[in-house]
Structures are given as structure tokens and as C-alpha cells.
Amino acid sequence: MLEIIDLVKKYDSGPLALDGVNLKIEAGDIIALIGPSGAGKSTLVRCINRLVEPTSGKIMLNGVDISSLNKKELREARKNIGMIFQEYALVERLSVMENVLSGRLASVSFWQSLRRNFPQKYISEALSLLDRVGLGDYVDTRADQLSGGQRQRVGIARALLQKPDLLLLDEPTASLDPKTARQIMRLVVDLVQEKNISAIINIHEVKLAELFTKRIVGLREGRIVYDEEAAKLDTDALTLIYGEEDWESERPAEDESE
């Protein structure tokens, strides 16, 4: 379980990026973070694994306060937190398999990682995940030869190879076309449910959040202003999160025949 308590992030200049955020996520929950640009969504996701250092507050994962750990303890805790980035964060010159196996670097010795000498168990698990994400035929393909959707699938496989308790996704569909974005969201939700792990998805596309998650959390100016079932998101809620707009004209009926 993840519990965020009174989380604050203040950068050197500008207003508070996070202003007393409180959030609880049970095992197996999948939530979407939505809100305007600058609302604090990416900051919140990155504070959870301390890619961004919080100013104050607590981040409790399975009873451990992530925000209070030293560097060695944090490296150990991060084994339980998978991360999928908008920009993929792959090593372009390495193969698909090598990129996926990098998800296990923290679990092997320095010399094993230097020589890319991974146990057969990890290799077998990586092959299974690549088959699951539809990239079984791309094991030896260099990352720089892949499309955006394929790169994101590599990132998903890499994160899941860690066998995390929590999966963080920071705008995973922002660089993808609409069809590929839907495919990636469907894949993520299916895999998270199969493996019974929790996931937080920072996403700009409100329709994708409604379609693929059961709970939506809205941020505005660093504060949570909405936390409800996705089915309850209406024009009043959108106004609360984003401000005044003619939301009905912006929300055409979804064509489910695709």
C-alpha cells in the first residue's frame, strides 16, 4: 500500500509545486492523475521514488517512509518501484533485450552488470515479458530502430521485470498517436491487473483516463481537488480541475467500434 501524507515540494523559485498532498492507494489500485500543465502531476510521481526530492511530508510504501531513506536504503526501496517515462529512457545503441534486462541491474553484482552477465532466470523472464508486450521478435533489435509505441512497450517490459509493488507512469502516451496510445494504456492496465500491483498514471488525455482507469485524481495548483471513481467525472469536476470551459462540446461520444 502507498500512503502520501502532507507532501510538499517547493522549488527554489516559483510557487509550491505540491501543497500538502494526501493520497492513499491500496494494492492493486490503478489511478489516473489529471490536471492542467503545472498542476504538480509529474512532480508528485517523481517525488514518490525521489527522482525529485520532497520538501516535507511522508511517502509510505508498505510501511516504509521513502522520503526518509538514505542513498543505500533508497536504492533498495526502488527495487519495488517501477517507472515508465514519456521519453522512454532507453539506451539507444543497446538491443531490446539489453534494455529490458537493465530493469534488473539493481539485483546483480557490479561485475555482472558491467559484463551484462544476467542469470538465466532473468533472461527467461525478460523473454516472457517481451512476448507479452508483443515484441518477441525484436529481442536483438537496437532500440533506435523501434517506433515510439514499440519503445514504450520495451519500457513497460523493463519496469515489470523488476517485479515492483508500485508502477509509476509519467505521461506514457504523450508522444504517441491516438491508436497507439489506447493500445499502450490497455496493455498497461491488463498487465498491472494480471500481476496485482498498484499503478499511478500521470496522463493529459482525460478520455484515456476515463476509459482505462477506475479512479481519477485531479490536481490543480499543487493540491488534490478531485478524487473519485472515473465514472463520476463530469463537467462540474472538469471545471473544478481545469477551470471554466464548454466541456460538453469538448467531449464527443467515444466510438468503441475501433
Side-chain angles (χ1 to χ4, degrees):
M1 182 184 79
L2 175 71
E3 185 173 10
I4 298 170
I5 305 168
D6 297 330
L7 189 65
V8 172
K9 174 59 185 178
K10 177 70 167 69
Y11 291 104
D12 292 337
S13 60
L16 289 173
L18 297 174
D19 186 6
V21 169
N22 290 279
L23 185 64
K24 184 179 290 187
I25 302 169
E26 301 290 343
D29 282 355
I30 305 173
I31 73 164
L33 289 180
I34 66 171
S37 297
K41 303 186 300 299
S42 287
T43 298
L44 176 56
V45 168
R46 291 168 181 255
C47 276
I48 292 171
N49 63 2
R50 283 178 53 189
L51 290 178
V52 169
E53 288 290 344
T55 302
S56 63
K58 293 184 178 182
I59 303 164
M60 307 295 297
L61 180 61
N62 298 332
V64 176
D65 184 3
I66 301 295
S67 61
S68 68
L69 301 181
N70 61 35
K71 289 184 178 180
K72 181 178 179 181
E73 293 168 336
L74 180 59
R75 282 196 299 271
E76 187 66 25
R78 280 176 172 163
K79 293 179 183 180
N80 296 318
I81 306 173
M83 184 84 180
I84 297 172
F85 301 88
Q86 172 188 348
E87 63 275 13
Y88 317 124
L90 304 183
V91 181
E92 299 285 293
R93 62 183 176 80
L94 296 184
S95 70
V96 165
M97 174 59 91
E98 289 171 316
N99 271 285
V100 173
L101 286 170
S102 70
R104 277 294 189 176
L105 284 175
S107 301
V108 298
S109 70
F110 170 78
W111 292 110
Q112 282 179 304
S113 64
L114 187 66
R115 297 168 182 168
R116 299 176 196 156
N117 181 21
F118 291 88
Q120 184 59 46
K121 174 185 176 182
Y122 295 162
I123 294 172
S124 297
E125 290 172 351
L127 286 170
S128 177
L129 280 168
L130 284 171
D131 280 335
R132 183 64 183 82
V133 301
L135 292 178
D137 294 332
Y138 291 82
V139 171
D140 296 320
T141 303
R142 280 176 50 129
D144 58 9
Q145 297 176 5
L146 301 176
S147 68
Q150 289 170 331
R151 292 183 185 200
Q152 198 58 285
R153 290 170 185 266
V154 174
I156 292 168
R158 177 184 58 194
L160 291 177
L161 189 64
Q162 292 179 228
K163 296 187 176 180
D165 295 322
L166 174 66
L167 190 62
L168 305 174
L169 299 94
D170 193 12
E171 298 188 34
T173 62
S175 302
L176 306 177
D177 65 78
K179 180 178 179 180
T180 304
R182 288 170 61 109
Q183 291 172 339
I184 290 298
M185 284 294 291
R186 187 177 294 111
L187 178 63
V188 166
V189 170
D190 286 349
L191 286 167
V192 166
Q193 290 176 337
E194 285 176 17
K195 298 179 182 300
N196 193 35
I197 60 179
S198 304
I200 301 175
I201 307 173
N202 167 23
I203 189 165
H204 275 297
E205 298 89 342
V206 173
K207 178 53 68 176
L208 291 179
E210 290 180 285
L211 283 173
F212 293 104
T213 66
K214 294 182 179 179
R215 178 180 167 196
I216 291 178
V217 173
L219 273 74
R220 184 171 181 177
E221 297 179 349
R223 297 181 179 181
I224 291 178
V225 296
Y226 181 85
D227 186 353
E228 293 285 353
E229 296 175 7
K232 294 183 179 180
L233 189 72
D234 57 16
T235 56
D236 288 339
L238 290 171
T239 298
L240 179 65
I241 298 166
Y242 292 98
E244 291 289 342
E245 181 55 81
D246 182 6
W247 295 111
E248 289 297 339
S249 66
E250 297 295 324
R251 304 178 78 201
E254 185 72 15
D255 182 2
E256 293 296 340
S257 63
E258 294 181 33

